[in-house]
Amino acid sequence: MDTHTPTHTEARGPHAEHTGPDLRHHGDAEVRDDGSALVDLAVNVRADTPPAWLREHVAGSLGSLAAYPDGRAARAAVAARHGLPVERVLLTAGAAEAFVLLARALKVRRPVVVHPQFTEPEAALRDAGHTVGRVLLREADGFRLDPAAVPEDADLVVVGNPTNPTSVLHPAHTVAGLARPGRTLVVDEAFMDAVPGEREALAGRTDVPGLVVLRSLTKTWGLAGLRIGYVLAAPDTIADLERAQPLWPVSTPALAAAEACVAPRALAEAAHAAHRIAADRAHLVAGLADLAGSGLRVVAPAGGPFVLLRLPRATAVRHRLRDLGYAVRRGDTFPGLGEEWLRLAVRDRATTDGFLGALGRAVAESP
């Protein structure tokens, strides 16, 4: 997709994936099988997680596996964390399940997904039989959200904040401005807890009509294998989604993790980690600037625990990086991007310094 074309919408039907990007490709594919020994900058899960105290807490729940999961305490804890009644909270097996529930449970006629962003929302909508409109944000505008580009008759709009893969943090008032009577506004805040102060968050807001906020606990806490996330929305929307869920959708260990991860101790740890990530990201971006002479450009300012860059011969560079021991995320599976794009997860400074050395060598050696 030419990222220099004007921001626009385009329709994509349920079976159009054969003519466009692979929406089911995710960063974990880069570190499977022969990539398992690589240094991982492809997956946006915070390194060195889950912490020992969280592993021990989850392990302590295993004695209760004979009983069916009871999510009431975890649901109440999440509600309290955001200052909401429990009727506005739904626990899910990761944010990915929430996208499937939204696609299947809500009666919508014209869903629109703002791209480039996480591709699972569009994939879930297609699988549910919807024809999906795309709003493609422009590189020339720094991939910033343009509310005017979203069709007025769109009755479901999905946007990420901060957006994966661009790392753009959109102003909360701009995102909230997408709300309309009769429209469901889905905001994917899976990475918002990696933003210092969670500035620009809409989680906990009840004054935005049709607002649905998705949160994931798998990124900051390293729980991708456990599958835990939640939805915040009006009670009637939560009820619709809950009816679409199977019985006992969230396991007992995942419920234990959810309750622990919204406790004051965990929130303080996550806040500290967010500031450290911001500092480590600045170190990465500064190192990448040294390669600007090779045509490398970083989307800035970055607000998430990852950065997006454009680089000539990016495919060859990515393959050479694998030879040198590093995995990065290809960008061409995101609508609105192409083969010159790569996404890098933020890591500690020692890892970043090693990677920057390998990147410089890969750029120099790639034809």
Side-chain angles (χ1 to χ4, degrees), residues 182-266:
R183 171 184 289 178
T184 299
L185 173 60
V186 179
V187 184
D188 178 6
E189 291 188 352
F191 295 99
M192 188 61 79
D193 59 355
V195 176
E198 295 195 7
R199 65 186 190 278
E200 314 305 346
L202 292 178
R205 294 273 297 271
T206 60
D207 60 325
V208 181
L211 177 65
V212 177
V213 174
L214 276 57
R215 286 287 182 108
S216 171
L217 296 173
T218 65
K219 315 299 184 185
T220 287
W221 296 109
L223 297 174
L226 198 60
R227 310 310 306 141
I228 179 64
Y230 54 89
V231 181
L232 307 174
D236 56 345
T237 300
I238 293 295
D240 288 340
L241 299 179
E242 192 168 17
R243 281 191 291 270
Q245 275 187 314
L247 289 172
W248 311 292
V250 181
S251 70
T252 295
L255 292 171
E259 192 171 356
C261 290
V262 296
R265 169 187 175 176

Side-chain angles (χ1 to χ4, degrees), residues 102-272:
L102 288 164
R104 294 179 179 177
L106 301 187
K107 304 296 186 283
V108 296
R109 295 172 290 99
R110 190 173 184 191
V112 168
V113 178
V114 178
H115 285 290
Q117 80 146 13
F118 184 50
T119 53
E120 203 59 30
E122 180 174 325
L125 286 163
R126 286 191 193 177
D127 288 346
H130 296 284
T131 296
V132 183
R134 290 177 179 170
V135 172
L136 302 180
L137 303 183
R138 304 195 317 163
E139 177 190 4
D141 297 329
F143 297 108
R144 291 173 177 82
L145 179 62
D146 177 9
V150 177
E152 281 296 319
D153 62 347
D155 55 359
L156 174 70
V157 178
V158 184
V159 62
N161 201 31
T163 302
N164 173 19
T166 64
S167 206
V168 172
L169 181 64
H170 305 293
H173 67 85
T174 302
V175 179
L178 292 172
R180 299 283 189 281
R183 171 184 289 178
T184 299
L185 173 60
V186 179
V187 184
D188 178 6
E189 291 188 352
F191 295 99
M192 188 61 79
D193 59 355
V195 176
E198 295 195 7
R199 65 186 190 278
E200 314 305 346
L202 292 178
R205 294 273 297 271
T206 60
D207 60 325
V208 181
L211 177 65
V212 177
V213 174
L214 276 57
R215 286 287 182 108
S216 171
L217 296 173
T218 65
K219 315 299 184 185
T220 287
W221 296 109
L223 297 174
L226 198 60
R227 310 310 306 141
I228 179 64
Y230 54 89
V231 181
L232 307 174
D236 56 345
T237 300
I238 293 295
D240 288 340
L241 299 179
E242 192 168 17
R243 281 191 291 270
Q245 275 187 314
L247 289 172
W248 311 292
V250 181
S251 70
T252 295
L255 292 171
E259 192 171 356
C261 290
V262 296
R265 169 187 175 176
L267 295 179
E269 183 175 324
H272 176 75

Side-chain angles (χ1 to χ4, degrees), residues 41 284 288 321 326-328 344 350-360:
L41 280 80
L284 171 61
L288 292 171
L321 281 170
Y326 292 88
V328 299
L344 312 176
T351 301
T352 293
D353 289 343
F355 167 74
L356 289 170
L359 178 61

Side-chain angles (χ1 to χ4, degrees), residues 61-127:
S61 72
L62 299 182
S64 303
L65 291 185
Y68 285 97
D70 183 348
R72 289 176 296 177
R75 187 178 186 183
V78 170
R81 182 255 194 272
H82 293 287
L84 297 171
V86 294
E87 293 80 10
R88 283 183 167 268
V89 175
L90 182 68
L91 303 177
T92 60
E97 187 204 8
F99 291 124
V100 173
L101 296 176
L102 288 164
R104 294 179 179 177
L106 301 187
K107 304 296 186 283
V108 296
R109 295 172 290 99
R110 190 173 184 191
V112 168
V113 178
V114 178
H115 285 290
Q117 80 146 13
F118 184 50
T119 53
E120 203 59 30
E122 180 174 325
L125 286 163
R126 286 191 193 177
D127 288 346

